DNA sequence: ACAATTTGACCTAG
DNA sequence: CTAGGTCAAATTGT
């Protein structure tokens, strides 16, 4: 009777480790898919770092037992609230919605580059809901994989636009793609940072977030956030008017950011910390201008893409 | 006509 | 009770 009172914690640890390993695997997949492509070395380095991080954390958890601060990573079930999370069987990775990995992607849109190639990831999303978030000026869009019914892909994503920065979009991905499209891409994760389980109670979430945004991304000492997506919208003064409209289209495009080749996207890697239900203040994510504003050689041109009234080809 | 989207209602957790 | 998340019927676009 020395140490056996932590059965619950052990369960948590198992879960955490499982998630971490899954994330690491995803990262590895990304890295693998990028090896063949002409991706920036920084990106690969970043991925490698993330992989190592996942492993490191997993090992740390395994070697350390005594963190009572671990809260369930999925505070708010959301998805299916009916089934309780009874972790009974140590089965191998069950398709539990709660165990779904989550990662946040921040996308900054800037004029200069076109996301033509980037937006063609091959992932199809279907909007299934929209909700007004407290404190958030703009509604949050809920999307699911189009193949959810066909192939049972449970991947979902949420798109939330910043209150102030219309060019800042926070896309939260949940779950992994199990559809053929995912297989095509090879990596379910776009290009962002997966979120371990340490997203517990971050008192200063916002602070941490912003800090990470500007000065905490010291992963690549040489990477100057070259990834900046640009959109043909900054030219419009009255974004707020059409923002709602554009937002939708935007998210559609943004979702495709990263995946195959994210040579030119404005994705700001940020550690995502579940905002829990604390929207009251979290909504104030003033992602001031991150140093991501980078004008890359204009591959195509943001002209052809007219989101105002007629998206390039989508709207006739 | 089909499929995706829209919008409101409903549900559950905190 | 409130807020977030999902469902489902209605609508719209192609």
């Amino acid at each position: 009777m020395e140490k056996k009172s932590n059965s619950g914690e052990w369960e948590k640890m198992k879960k955490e480790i499982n998630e971490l390993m899954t994330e690491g695997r995803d990262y590895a997949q990304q890295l693998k898919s990028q090896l063949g492509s002409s991706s920036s070395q920084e990106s690969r380095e970043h991925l490698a770092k993330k992989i190592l991080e996942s492993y490191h954390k997993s090992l740390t958890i395994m070697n350390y037992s005594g963190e009572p601060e671990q809260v369930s990573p999925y505070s708010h079930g959301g998805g299916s609230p009916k089934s309780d999370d009874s972790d009974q069987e140590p089965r191998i990775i069950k398709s539990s919605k709660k165990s779904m990995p989550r990662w946040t992607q921040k996308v900054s849109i800037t004029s200069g580059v076109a996301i033509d190639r980037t937006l063609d990831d091959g992932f199809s999303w279907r909007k299934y809901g929209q909700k007004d978030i407290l404190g958030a000026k703009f509604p949050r869009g809920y999307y699911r994989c189009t193949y959810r019914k066909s192939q049972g892909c449970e991947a979902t994503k949420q798109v939330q636009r910043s209150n102030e920065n219309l060019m800042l979009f926070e896309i939260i991905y949940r779950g992994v793609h199990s559809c053929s499209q995912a297989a095509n891409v090879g990596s379910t994760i776009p290009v962002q940072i997966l979120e371990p389980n340490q997203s517990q109670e971050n008192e200063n979430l916002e602070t941490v977030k912003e800090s990470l945004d500007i000065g905490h991304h010291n992963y690549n000492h040489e990477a100057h956030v070259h990834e900046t997506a640009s959109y043909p919208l900054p030219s419009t003064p009255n974004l707020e008017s059409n923002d709602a409209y554009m937002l939708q289209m935007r998210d559609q495009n943004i979702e495709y950011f990263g995946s195959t080749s994210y040579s030119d996207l404005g994705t700001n890697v940020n550690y995502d910390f579940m905002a829990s239900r604390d929207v009251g203040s979290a909504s104030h994510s003033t992602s001031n201008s991150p140093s991501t504003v980078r004008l890359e050689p204009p591959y195509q041109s943001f002209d052809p893409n007219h989101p105002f009234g007629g998206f390039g080809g989508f709207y006739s």
Side-chain angles (χ1 to χ4, degrees), chain A residues 193-206:
Chain A
I193 293 190
L194 278 170
E195 194 222 347
N197 313 308
Q198 37 182 328
S199 58
Q200 315 149 6
E201 46 196 301
N202 283 333
E203 301 186 343
N204 13 350
L205 295 173
E206 293 115 281

Side-chain angles (χ1 to χ4, degrees), chain A residues 239-259:
Chain A
L239 246 91
E240 316 206 348
S241 294
N242 311 322
D243 68 351
Y245 189 72
M246 292 164 52
L247 200 302
Q248 297 170 9
M249 303 193 289
R250 185 130 301 120
D251 78 61
Q252 285 185 22
N253 299 324
I254 285 173
E255 58 175 86
Y256 297 114
F257 274 57
S259 330

Side-chain angles (χ1 to χ4, degrees), chain A residues 174-186:
Chain A
R174 293 171 69 189
V176 291
H177 281 276
S178 49
C179 54
S180 50
Q181 289 189 334
N184 239 327
V185 179

Side-chain angles (χ1 to χ4, degrees), chain A residues 300-307 310-313:
Chain A
Q300 317 262 319
S301 43
F302 41 87
D303 274 47
N305 298 333
H306 276 274
F311 199 57

